[in-house]
Amino acid sequence: MKFGLYPGCSLEASSREYLESLRAIAPKLGLEFEEVKNWNCCGASSAHAIDHLFSVALPATILAQAEQQQLKDLVVPCAACYSRLAIAKIELTENAKVRNELQAKYHLSYTGTTNILTILDVLERVITPEVSKQLPKRFTKNVVCYYGCLLVRPQRITNVQRVEDPQQMEEIVKTIGAHPLPWGMKTECCGASFSITRTELVGKLCGRVLDDAVCRGAEAIIVACPMCHSNLDMRRSVIEHVTGKKYTIPVLFITQVIGFALGLTPAQLGMTRHFVSTESIVSTSV
Amino acid sequence: MKEFEPKIVAFVCNWCTYAGADLTGTSRIHYAPNVRVVRFPCTGRIDYNLIIKAFERGADGVIVSGCHPNDCHYTSGNFHARRRWIVFRTLLEYIGIDPRRIIFSWVSAAEGAKWADLVNKAVREIRELGPAKEFINMKQWYEFEKALGGFRG
Amino acid sequence: MLQDQKYRSTLSGTLYSKLGIHVERCYQCGKCSAGCPAASAMDLKPSIILRMLQVENERYDREVLQSYTIWLCLSCHTCSTRCPMEIDIPRVMDVLRSESLRQNLIHPRAKDIVAFHVSFLNTIKRFGRLWEVGMIVEYKIRTRHFFQDVLLAPVLFLKGKLTVVPHKCVSIKQLFTWKKQESSL
Amino acid sequence: MARIGVFVCHCGENIAATVDCEKVAKACAQLPGVAYSIDYKYMCSDPGQNLIREAIKEKNLTGVVVAACSPRMHEPTFRRACAEAGLNPYLCEMANIREHCSWVHPKSEETTLKAIDIVKTIIAKVRKNQPLYPIKVPVTKTALVIGGGIAGIQAALDIANAGHRVILVEKEPSIGGHMAQLSETFPTLDCSQCILTPRMVEVAQHPSITLYTYAEVESLTGFIGNFVARIRKKAKSIDEKLCTGCGECVNACPIKKIPSEFNMGLGTRPAIYIPFPQAVPNKPVIDRSRCTYFRTGKCRFCESKCPTKAIRFDQNDEVINVQVGAVVVATGFTVLESTFFPEYGYGQYKDVVTGLQFERILSASGPTLGEVRRPSDGAIPKKVVFITCAGSRDPAKGIEYCSKICCMYTAKHAMLYKHKVHDGQAYVFYMDIRATGKGYDEFVRRAIEEDHVKYIRGRVSRVYERNGKIVVCGADTLLGAEPVEIEADMVVLATAGVANPGAEELAQALHISYDRHRFFTEAHPKLRPVETNTAGIFLAGACQSPKDIPESVGQASATASKVVALFSRDELTREPIVAVVNRCAPPLYSTCVGCFMCQTACPYSAIEREELRTRDGTLVKTVARVNPGLCQGCGTCVAFCRSKSIDLQGYSNEQMYAEVVELFAE
Ligand SMILES: Cc1cc2nc3c(=O)[nH]c(=O)nc-3n(C[C@H](O)[C@H](O)[C@H](O)COP(=O)(O)OP(=O)(O)OC[C@H]3O[C@@H](n4cnc5c(N)ncnc54)[C@H](O)[C@@H]3O)c2cc1C
Ligand SMILES: Cc1cc2nc3c(=O)[nH]c(=O)nc-3n(C[C@H](O)[C@H](O)[C@H](O)COP(=O)(O)OP(=O)(O)OC[C@H]3O[C@@H](n4cnc5c(N)ncnc54)[C@H](O)[C@@H]3O)c2cc1C
Ligand code: SF4
Ligand code: SF4
Ligand code: SF4
Ligand code: SF4
Ligand code: SF4
Ligand code: SF4
Ligand code: SF4
Ligand code: SF4
């Protein structure tokens, strides 16, 4: 199955293990990616914090490029980028004023033919019951799936079912043998882009997430967003400082756990890049 | 020179606007004498052919007024009237009647003053438009009616 | 007419005429403030912001633009997802931020957040993509938070998470030239 | 040639001060068809009316125009006078030269001319008036009451006690409705069962009431005074005549774990069951969808245990047609379930319950026998949070209205909880407290002041489970919207009152209208609150909108008085202001082309289809026919008919055109 791919900035830098693991599992799942050429940053939370039209212009440039490459389905692994692109797509298709303005200024000819998909949308399609039966390993752990905000909200953009208690990630991890636990922090915010400017706030919000995960008996937190990951993993010392507690629970990208079940090594999946050791979970899995 | 005094026909419903106009009387609020009231049970009863007829016979303006939305004595007659009016409006110019000559309003049984205002406003506006001398091509109108699928019995 | 003019000049007038957001709809249930992850750190809770906008007077409009809250909003959409009156609060915050910037009413404690956004956008402006090293250096210069996160950097580097040379993409240069000319909403 | 009499009234000075009445009378005398024209000081006085009566006789009048005050004031007076003199009353009309002329214009030539114009148009109309005769329809003096909640029970008893027959149809195995499920009732805290059960028994024993439980109305045809209802009596699988209600069968049934509807899923029942101990009738039914015998063909334990051999596995549904003269719809409402609330956990948490479930928990006959114990582990909850407006006043959830009863029952719940768990703490999150009945606000104040229930103004954002506690995240909007987090043992949602699942279908079967929330609509919100748009069908209780018991009962008695008033006569007389579709000689039969535009327009579903046939029975065409029992005379159909085949008596096209044309006649 072939998809367009927009990696986004953080997948090339602070969360490169996400992209590495995605690229590692792709051939085994029959996935092929064509990257959007010469892509630019989507603007993340800074552009719309400052200027709305501009926050549409950045992703619109990406979408126009994707369309030029005739990428019908564009997967955007970063939840933040996904959200920006999806919002821009809706603005461009529904708001004629914005569309015309952008068209006039940069001759962006975006017609809205590209579907924008999250990583979950893609994995859901390829991890069929057949595939799951043939997996060399099983990831039989108690896990909690953490969606954060942007994979589910605003619902108008994401069209996700059960917005307060989504099940898409759970369904995927179940097929590789994991036991997803019900928990209360699934869609709470991790502090997102305040990682640098308000680390304390991030520490507090992530503390609640880790706390609930641990209380429920989870052995790992599964995520599908680089921001969630870096806040929960990289900012662990801040979290511990704010909450005054120690947490050893590892945070894994969904692509990494799937990679594990496909028999890839932790190094191939970039797990060595994590701040919080994944040793425990990898060594005790079968 | 004496000012032009328009002749205006008001098609009103029995339950709201007619009663409202009664209240204008009981409150002794004076207003322009140019309007003649024709009473209907409901604005829903008002056939646009009657409006055409009024113009054909020399009216300079027509007021159509009934109950406020949701206040209709017959629950929905006024909605039907409104809907018909929207269609009718587009046909008016076709037969040579300035749509501004028809004034649609809601006057409830408690709005005596509003009735007086409505009449005065109608007289003022239609006086500005001048006498209705536009040629009314009735033949064209009847053809139109026929084209709409009906026939005049 | 005068009334209309006055209405348009208030923030809620702007929100309504430009975006169709009707702040009058807010009936002050407080559900947004109740679920907002950043509320505890905010000076004015989201529902209070809405209330102040409803009043439509200069003083409150100014206080709103000077608030810390608008910069603390994470755009997490928790509030709007649950708001019974379907008010797009994060979008309101977007507008308030750009208005606060335009009128230069930024809350003193939020200056570093603004600096972050500017550094971020400057990096994109220069390279088309985010280059974290470059951005953080600029941010630190702008805010003088030189020592924040210094311990993190070497680890990041060791983990291969910091790139020393920026990736480049130049196709969006023109976005910025245009942006300078008219920073409209 | 018409012979019309014109009577111009001075109304003392009221008219004569500005209008030259004599001149009006003289001008009218010149008009074609006018046989007599006179002015007089007070037309409505006895001598004035006499003047008319005598003129009718002496001058042989065929029509009367009284130029005086508004017809809304004295039309009945003068029509009666005409009738007394032998003239069909509908040949008399009034010209309003007082409210519409003398009172609103100064004394002037012009005012008099306007008065003449006004009288002229009415004369033109009267020239075209036809004698009309009041419509008479016979009345079947039996009422159908649909729904056996408190509203239906009250209506049935009131009608039956007035001496009329009642058929009460209830879809569940027992009557009682939601009131039977309640613990104690605000504002007096009397026990619901105690005040309801005697009424239920009275219904069962009343000689004039026929009770059909486990039954539904499938369709209703006919019109006021003359309805035919088709009722499906679902098979109960027992012979009610033989069954003594001993309950042996119920004990015998091995299928015991079916969630009990009556206990809102908090308890269980067998496949053969009596919904609750005080049920009326107190006889079981077999739930065929759950019964092993009906599913697999084996079991019949109940049958073997029945001492009177009353079980009937082979019973079929029975469909009966009944003739009734009036219908009272009292099918009540329901409340949203907690699964409706994503932010409160989609009903996943056992200790997040609805108000109705909490009623069962509080009820002495409920699953916990009246002890407050939470569903998950039976522990006594020490901290209970009540969340009001759950789903109500929430346009995002599609319900913008206030459910009206929940503020009150929440105060009641918190109070009863405190009475039972003295060391417990109750919190109520609210947006507004709507306690507008007699003694209602005092009741809420008591909860706050005497029972120390903590009221927090704010809407809860989220509820989730943590370490066996239910965490409630709210904000106190009276403290600057400061977030509040409470770790509760139990949460009660005052979920919105909504229409019954089958409300729409029932409304369609009965031809009554309903709003976008599927509550049935009244004919007029202020002045006809218990009637529907369909004459002869009335509304009682919460099927119209959420209501408390006093209101439901009040409305039920109001419907009963309407029904009894209807039944007080053998025949119904109605104003003949109704529409008619023309009929003419063959080969045309009618100019109606059968487009049925009129049918789509009629707000009262008064237009039916009629097949016109030749003598030998071949179909000529299908045309419209107005059911005069249903038509209210709005005339909307007339304006819709392009072939001008339907006309409104009293306001016919001929009459209306004559008025308009006369205005401009030279
Ligand atoms: C949690 C809660 C607490 C309350 N506490 C109080 C209180 O303390 N005091 C107070 O005054 N009020 C209280 N109320 C309100 C009270 O329950 C209602 O006012 C009352 O039940 C309305 O009566 P009803 O007969 O209109 O409707 P219902 O009680 O709903 O009865 C309707 C009946 O019609 C039947 N039915 C439905 N559809 C059909 C059909 N198609 N054919 C035949 N039958 C049908 C139903 O089975 C039911 O028996 C409370 C309500 C709730 C939800
Ligand atoms: C400011 C205001 C605004 C309102 N607005 C609305 C509204 O918008 N919509 C709405 O639905 N309701 C409204 N209401 C409520 C409405 O007025 C009442 O519901 C309604 O008038 C009650 O009617 P009633 O016949 O019970 O009492 P009343 O209207 O008070 O009539 C009682 C009659 O009895 C007479 N009377 C008194 N004592 C005696 C006696 N001993 N012997 C003989 N006769 C006696 C009185 O003179 C009076 O004529 C409003 C009320 C107020 C005060
Ligand atoms: S949730 Fe919506 S309605 Fe409630 S206070 Fe916030 S903005 Fe207003
Ligand atoms: S979008 Fe902003 S205001 Fe709304 S809940 Fe998130 S942080 Fe709070
Ligand atoms: S009939 Fe009317 S106008 Fe004449 S005296 Fe009586 S009230 Fe006055
Ligand atoms: S036949 Fe059905 S109702 Fe009777 S005992 Fe068996 S399961 Fe129960
Ligand atoms: S055992 Fe027979 S008599 Fe007794 S309740 Fe059951 S059916 Fe009725
Ligand atoms: S009655 Fe009270 S709790 Fe119920 S919807 Fe109305 S305001 Fe909310
Ligand atoms: S609208 Fe006129 S022609 Fe059509 S069905 Fe009705 S009566 Fe007949
Ligand atoms: S007059 Fe009104 S109620 Fe009567 S049939 Fe016509 S539309 Fe229906």
Side-chain angles (χ1 to χ4, degrees):
Chain A
M1 236 178 279
K2 204 178 150 193
F3 294 94
L5 175 71
Y6 173 76
C9 307
S10 41
L11 265 72
E12 301 242 302
S14 55
S15 300
R16 51 195 304 177
E17 65 270 32
Y18 190 11
L19 190 57
E20 284 165 359
S21 54
L22 176 61
R23 291 213 189 273
I25 62 171
K28 303 209 169 221
L29 295 171
L31 285 169
E32 262 183 77
F33 296 118
E34 180 183 336
E35 203 169 305
V36 176
K37 291 195 186 99
N38 196 26
W39 54 264
N40 57 268
C41 173
C42 71
S45 51
S46 288
H48 79 96
I50 291 195
D51 186 325
H52 178 69
L53 188 63
F54 186 57
S55 76
V56 180
L58 285 169
T61 321
I62 302 161
L63 290 175
Q65 176 60 35
E67 214 167 69
Q68 223 167 46
Q69 283 169 247
Q70 293 176 334
L71 302 175
K72 223 175 109 321
D73 293 312
L74 181 65
V75 49
V76 187
C78 169
C81 302
Y82 164 76
S83 182
R84 293 323 318 171
L85 260 61
I87 288 176
K89 177 176 168 170
I90 296 227
E91 279 283 281
L92 287 167
T93 41
E94 287 177 5
N95 189 337
K97 200 175 138 247
V98 169
R99 187 176 55 234
N100 294 341
E101 223 166 312
L102 291 176
Q103 231 151 26
K105 306 279 172 189
Y106 332 101
H107 320 289
L108 284 176
S109 58
Y110 175 69
T111 56
T113 52
T114 305
N115 293 322
I116 302 169
L117 306 177
T118 67
I119 195 82
L120 301 180
D121 297 335
V122 174
L123 292 176
E124 189 178 63
R125 287 191 208 175
V126 291
I127 308 193
T128 54
E130 282 76 62
V131 171
S132 81
K133 261 181 243 141
Q134 290 159 12
L135 292 173
K137 285 167 103 178
R138 296 192 73 72
F139 188 78
T140 53
K141 295 285 171 193
N142 291 329
V143 300
V144 288
C145 297
Y146 180 60
Y147 293 77
C149 318
L150 299 170
L151 275 177
V152 285
R153 286 187 300 264
Q155 198 184 16
R156 183 174 67 89
I157 306 288
T158 62
N159 285 322
V160 62
Q161 304 279 303
R162 286 176 74 91
V163 66
E164 299 275 353
D165 181 27
Q167 295 295 328
Q168 214 182 0
M169 218 186 304
E170 274 81 351
E171 289 306 319
I172 295 170
V173 299
K174 264 192 229 163
T175 60
I176 58 163
H179 310 294
L181 305 169
W183 67 313
M185 290 293 151
K186 226 183 232 200
T187 62
E188 287 292 291
C189 180
C190 67
S193 55
F194 279 15
S195 180
I196 292 171
T197 49
R198 286 295 174 276
T199 7
E200 296 269 310
L201 179 62
V202 168
K204 190 182 139 210
L205 297 177
C206 291
R208 296 193 307 170
V209 173
L210 293 184
D211 222 47
D212 198 40
V214 172
C215 281
R216 309 265 172 172
E219 295 164 276
I221 302 177
I222 315 292
V223 299
C225 168
M227 288 208 293
C228 301
H229 189 270
S230 58
N231 280 344
L232 291 171
D233 178 71
M234 212 163 79
R235 291 292 176 193
R236 189 62 65 90
S237 60
V238 180
I239 301 171
E240 290 177 345
H241 175 74
V242 171
T243 58
K245 292 190 200 164
K246 284 257 164 256
Y247 299 100
T248 53
I249 185 168
V251 186
L252 300 171
F253 283 107
I254 186 152
T255 44
Q256 290 177 318
V257 288
I258 287 171
F260 177 85
L262 288 167
L264 297 167
T265 65
Q268 282 172 307
L269 296 167
M271 289 196 203
T272 46
R273 299 192 194 277
H274 289 197
F275 276 53
V276 178
S277 167
T278 57
E279 201 38 49
S280 61
I281 196 123
V282 177
S283 59
T284 59
S285 282
V286 280
Chain B
M1 203 183 87
K2 198 173 174 293
E3 235 180 330
F4 155 63
E5 287 299 340
K7 290 193 225 83
I8 299 172
V9 190
F11 294 139
V12 306
C13 83
N14 181 40
W15 305 98
C16 290
T17 304
Y18 194 91
D22 278 359
L23 180 62
T24 322
T26 8
S27 325
R28 312 294 202 279
I29 302 169
H30 279 215
Y31 55 84
N34 311 47
V35 169
R36 303 290 179 267
V37 167
V38 181
R39 181 166 69 125
F40 288 82
C42 174
T43 42
R45 165 70 183 86
I46 301 166
D47 185 346
Y48 44 64
N49 282 303
L50 272 163
I51 299 177
I52 304 287
K53 179 62 88 187
F55 282 113
E56 184 203 65
R57 289 303 164 112
D60 300 307
V62 167
I63 292 174
V64 178
S65 178
C67 312
H68 285 261
N70 296 321
D71 269 0
C72 177
H73 183 80
Y74 303 98
T75 64
S76 57
N78 56 357
F79 285 122
H80 285 298
R82 254 252 110 89
R83 229 170 293 149
R84 260 199 326 270
W85 162 239
I86 292 164
V87 181
F88 177 45
R89 202 188 154 86
T90 58
L91 305 177
L92 275 173
E93 293 200 57
Y94 175 76
I95 54 165
I97 297 171
D98 186 338
R100 286 175 299 175
R101 293 193 182 277
I102 302 181
I103 290 154
F104 214 100
S105 183
W106 295 306
V107 175
S108 78
E111 295 174 321
K114 187 175 175 192
W115 170 251
D117 289 346
L118 175 66
V119 171
N120 289 334
K121 177 172 160 268
V123 172
R124 208 169 46 239
E125 286 176 6
I126 289 165
R127 188 179 284 142
E128 251 165 49
L129 293 176
K133 282 187 299 218
E134 302 101 323
F135 175 62
I136 303 166
N137 187 345
M138 288 314 285
K139 195 158 154 272
Q140 222 173 6
W141 170 251
Y142 292 138
E143 265 167 20
F144 206 99
E145 271 265 281
K146 212 158 147 188
L148 280 175
F151 83 100
R152 295 181 64 84
Chain C
M1 277 300 116
L2 211 71
Q3 194 64 33
D4 276 356
Q5 216 53 44
K6 186 167 158 262
Y7 183 72
R8 260 185 234 108
S9 68
T10 62
L11 283 176
S12 61
T14 312
L15 282 163
Y16 184 66
S17 57
K18 295 217 170 135
L19 300 172
I21 295 177
H22 210 319
V23 296
E24 278 77 10
R25 278 175 63 79
C26 168
Y27 55 19
Q28 288 296 302
C29 67
K31 199 174 185 181
C32 48
S33 304
C36 173
S40 59
M42 288 172 169
D43 51 351
L44 302 170
K45 313 298 176 225
S47 57
I48 304 287
I49 296 270
L50 267 292
R51 178 65 198 138
M52 290 168 87
L53 293 173
Q54 286 176 342
V55 177
E56 283 200 84
N57 78 14
E58 271 172 41
R59 190 180 125 212
Y60 286 140
D61 274 6
R62 202 177 159 86
E63 272 178 39
V64 162
L65 294 182
Q66 281 173 330
S67 73
Y68 187 33
T69 295
I70 58 177
W71 299 102
L72 272 193
C73 168
L74 294 147
S75 290
C76 69
H77 288 270
T78 306
C79 49
S80 50
T81 302
R82 296 181 188 148
C83 171
M85 301 309 281
E86 299 170 286
I87 297 169
D88 193 343
I89 302 162
R91 192 70 200 279
V92 170
M93 298 291 188
D94 280 354
V95 174
L96 296 178
R97 275 191 297 264
S98 67
E99 203 51 29
S100 171
L101 266 182
R102 199 175 65 77
Q103 299 186 25
N104 199 16
L105 293 174
I106 303 150
H107 189 281
R109 269 194 292 153
K111 296 247 149 94
D112 62 328
I113 297 177
V114 179
F116 171 81
H117 291 315
V118 172
S119 312
F120 187 104
L121 290 180
N122 275 343
T123 323
I124 318 180
K125 179 178 164 186
R126 251 180 292 147
F127 307 112
R129 291 186 191 174
L130 177 63
W131 178 40
E132 280 144 337
V133 173
M135 175 192 73
I136 290 172
V137 169
E138 181 175 339
Y139 169 66
K140 284 184 186 298
I141 294 169
R142 281 174 179 272
T143 56
R144 295 164 194 274
H145 291 169
F146 295 116
F147 299 104
Q148 188 195 334
D149 284 344
V150 280
L151 293 173
L152 208 55
V155 192
L156 273 173
F157 185 71
L158 280 178
K159 303 250 176 201
K161 289 189 168 199
L162 284 185
T163 33
V164 200
V165 217
H167 302 269
K168 275 209 170 190
C169 150
V170 284
S171 64
I172 56 156
K173 271 270 158 74
Q174 49 167 339
L175 279 188
F176 284 88
T177 29
W178 161 75
K179 211 192 103 49
K180 251 191 206 140
Q181 288 157 8
E182 42 186 300
S183 98
S184 76
L185 205 69
Chain D
M1 185 66 183
R3 296 182 55 79
I4 295 168
V6 180
F7 302 86
V8 185
C9 181
H10 292 211
C11 199
E13 281 293 291
N14 280 311
I15 296 172
T18 55
V19 171
D20 183 344
C21 295
E22 201 186 325
K23 189 170 169 189
V24 174
K26 285 211 171 106
C28 291
Q30 309 305 315
L31 295 171
V34 175
Y36 183 64
S37 184
I38 192 169
D39 57 307
Y40 184 72
K41 206 162 184 68
Y42 293 108
M43 282 312 310
C44 63
S45 65
D46 275 344
Q49 291 190 43
N50 258 333
L51 200 67
I52 299 176
R53 281 190 281 256
E54 259 144 44
I56 290 173
K57 286 179 201 143
E58 279 169 23
K59 313 278 172 195
N60 243 333
L61 299 183
T62 60
V64 165
V65 173
V66 185
C69 51
S70 169
R72 297 174 52 86
M73 173 127 178
H74 270 314
E75 196 174 70
T77 314
F78 295 116
R79 284 194 168 164
R80 208 180 311 118
C82 290
E84 281 158 13
L87 183 73
N88 183 291
Y90 297 93
L91 298 173
C92 165
E93 299 262 356
M94 288 188 74
N96 185 349
I97 59 169
R98 191 179 75 173
E99 283 84 348
H100 289 191
C101 189
S102 74
W103 276 350
V104 291
H105 305 307
K107 179 179 169 70
S108 72
E109 179 68 16
E110 211 179 348
T111 304
T112 301
L113 286 178
K114 176 171 172 181
I116 295 172
D117 262 2
I118 293 173
V119 187
K120 252 170 50 178
T121 52
I122 301 299
I123 294 171
K125 185 182 182 195
V126 171
R127 277 192 213 113
K128 307 283 183 190
N129 274 20
Q130 298 290 333
L132 299 176
Y133 301 93
I135 298 165
K136 290 198 193 306
V137 280
V139 180
T140 309
K141 294 184 182 180
T142 301
L144 171 67
V145 177
I146 310 175
I150 183 60
I153 290 173
Q154 183 70 35
L157 287 173
D158 283 356
I159 298 168
N161 287 336
H164 302 292
R165 296 200 49 78
V166 177
I167 296 166
L168 177 56
V169 175
E170 164 61 55
K171 93 175 167 213
E172 298 297 326
S174 169
I175 57 171
H178 286 106
M179 189 171 166
Q181 293 175 290
L182 305 182
S183 53
E184 290 169 16
T185 55
F186 65 75
T188 43
L189 291 189
D190 29 21
C191 149
S192 190
Q193 291 279 1
C194 311
I195 54 177
L196 176 67
T197 321
R199 302 245 161 142
M200 290 166 59
V201 173
E202 208 183 325
V203 165
Q205 293 175 347
H206 204 294
S208 303
I209 300 178
T210 309
L211 177 59
Y212 296 128
T213 52
Y214 219 44
E216 281 183 65
V217 174
E218 288 193 331
S219 72
L220 185 77
T221 52
F223 51 92
I224 183 167
N226 299 277
F227 295 108
V228 177
R230 193 178 139 90
I231 299 168
R232 175 175 294 271
K233 293 163 66 184
K234 284 174 284 183
K236 293 181 173 176
S237 315
I238 57 149
D239 184 331
E240 282 186 280
K241 292 209 179 71
L242 293 178
C243 174
T244 59
C246 65
E248 292 291 338
C249 54
V250 176
N251 294 335
C253 180
I255 309 293
K256 296 232 184 291
K257 291 262 176 260
I258 303 166
S260 149
E261 293 84 356
F262 183 74
N263 281 326
M264 302 309 295
L266 295 178
T268 56
R269 64 158 171 88
I272 182 163
Y273 71 110
I274 300 175
F276 54 102
Q278 302 83 352
V280 167
N282 207 307
K283 290 175 187 174
V285 298
I286 294 181
D287 175 353
R288 292 189 172 184
S289 67
R290 299 302 189 101
C291 164
T292 315
Y293 175 71
F294 281 103
R295 293 169 62 171
T296 66
K298 288 215 175 66
C299 184
R300 305 181 81 137
F301 282 149
C302 48
E303 190 183 40
S304 67
K305 283 278 155 52
C306 178
T308 64
K309 298 284 161 265
I311 308 277
R312 293 286 176 274
F313 291 107
D314 56 355
Q315 207 173 49
N316 287 324
D317 286 7
E318 195 187 335
V319 177
I320 55 170
N321 285 321
V322 294
Q323 290 214 322
V324 294
V327 181
V328 174
V329 186
T331 48
F333 70 140
T334 184
V335 295
L336 284 178
E337 294 185 16
S338 45
T339 46
F340 186 78
F341 300 91
E343 69 276 42
Y344 305 152
Y346 289 104
Q348 294 176 85
Y349 312 130
K350 279 190 171 163
D351 295 329
V352 177
V353 299
T354 66
L356 216 40
Q357 287 175 316
F358 199 62
E359 290 286 346
R360 294 313 301 148
I361 292 173
L362 289 169
S363 169
S365 65
T368 57
L369 301 174
E371 275 195 62
V372 182
R373 295 189 174 277
R374 62 181 199 173
S376 64
D377 56 3
I380 296 176
K382 296 291 181 192
K383 243 188 221 179
V384 179
V385 171
F386 296 88
I387 300 178
T388 64
C389 296
S392 311
R393 307 172 67 195
D394 192 335
K397 289 195 165 56
I399 301 177
E400 54 287 269
Y401 59 84
C402 163
S403 295
K404 198 171 183 184
I405 51 174
C406 15
C407 275
M408 284 302 292
Y409 76 61
T410 296
K412 173 184 79 173
H413 286 167
M415 214 184 243
L416 292 177
Y417 164 70
K418 289 285 291 185
H419 294 175
K420 296 193 182 216
V421 184
H422 302 295
D423 59 342
Q425 184 57 57
Y427 297 90
V428 174
F429 279 94
Y430 74 103
M431 278 168 58
D432 300 282
I433 303 174
R434 297 187 169 169
T436 57
K438 188 175 186 166
Y440 282 19
D441 203 51
E442 298 90 314
F443 183 82
V444 175
R445 294 311 312 168
R446 229 163 72 213
I448 297 171
E449 292 165 20
E450 288 171 24
D451 294 310
H452 307 287
V453 176
K454 293 270 170 280
Y455 270 68
I456 303 169
R457 196 203 171 279
R459 206 169 173 125
V460 169
S461 170
R462 192 163 85 105
V463 162
Y464 67 99
E465 209 161 17
R466 187 173 70 203
N467 297 336
K469 296 277 185 191
I470 309 279
V471 183
V472 179
C473 311
D476 190 328
T477 59
L478 301 179
L479 286 176
E482 200 54 50
V484 179
E485 206 173 272
I486 297 174
E487 282 195 348
D489 300 312
M490 192 171 171
V491 169
V492 182
L493 304 177
T495 59
V498 294
N500 265 327
E504 206 166 344
E505 292 74 20
L506 183 66
Q508 283 159 1
L510 301 177
H511 310 290
I512 60 175
S513 46
Y514 50 95
D515 61 26
R516 57 188 212 82
H517 300 293
R518 300 181 300 113
F519 283 115
F520 304 143
T521 17
E522 59 288 339
H524 191 284
K526 274 151 279 186
L527 299 178
R528 294 168 70 198
V530 304
E531 291 160 69
T532 65
N533 277 328
T534 308
I537 304 186
F538 306 94
L539 298 177
C543 59
Q544 183 208 14
S545 69
K547 285 192 175 63
D548 58 17
I549 297 163
E551 242 190 308
S552 303
V553 171
Q555 208 187 7
S557 292
T559 55
S561 83
K562 291 275 172 193
V563 171
V564 172
L566 178 65
F567 289 178
S568 68
R569 281 166 296 172
D570 298 324
E571 274 185 333
L572 289 179
T573 319
R574 301 202 42 240
E575 278 269 294
I577 310 298
V578 291
V580 278
V581 179
N582 68 21
R583 291 287 181 273
C584 42
L588 201 52
Y589 296 93
S590 169
T591 59
C592 170
V593 297
C595 65
F596 292 101
M597 289 291 286
C598 50
Q599 200 173 39
T600 63
C602 177
Y604 302 95
S605 313
I607 294 183
E608 299 165 352
R609 285 163 184 263
E610 181 182 20
E611 289 179 349
L612 295 182
R613 290 176 188 277
T614 57
R615 258 173 219 283
D616 57 15
T618 43
L619 181 67
V620 180
K621 58 178 169 183
T622 307
V623 297
R625 179 180 58 193
V626 177
N627 182 331
L630 297 175
C631 173
Q632 304 286 315
C634 66
T636 306
C637 53
V638 181
F640 263 70
C641 179
R642 291 212 197 86
S643 69
K644 301 282 160 269
S645 309
I646 192 163
D647 214 343
L648 182 64
Q649 299 192 143
Y651 293 92
S652 68
N653 279 322
E654 235 193 338
Q655 288 170 298
M656 302 324 285
Y657 276 99
E659 277 198 56
V660 172
V661 169
E662 184 70 21
L663 268 179
F664 300 97
E666 285 314 315

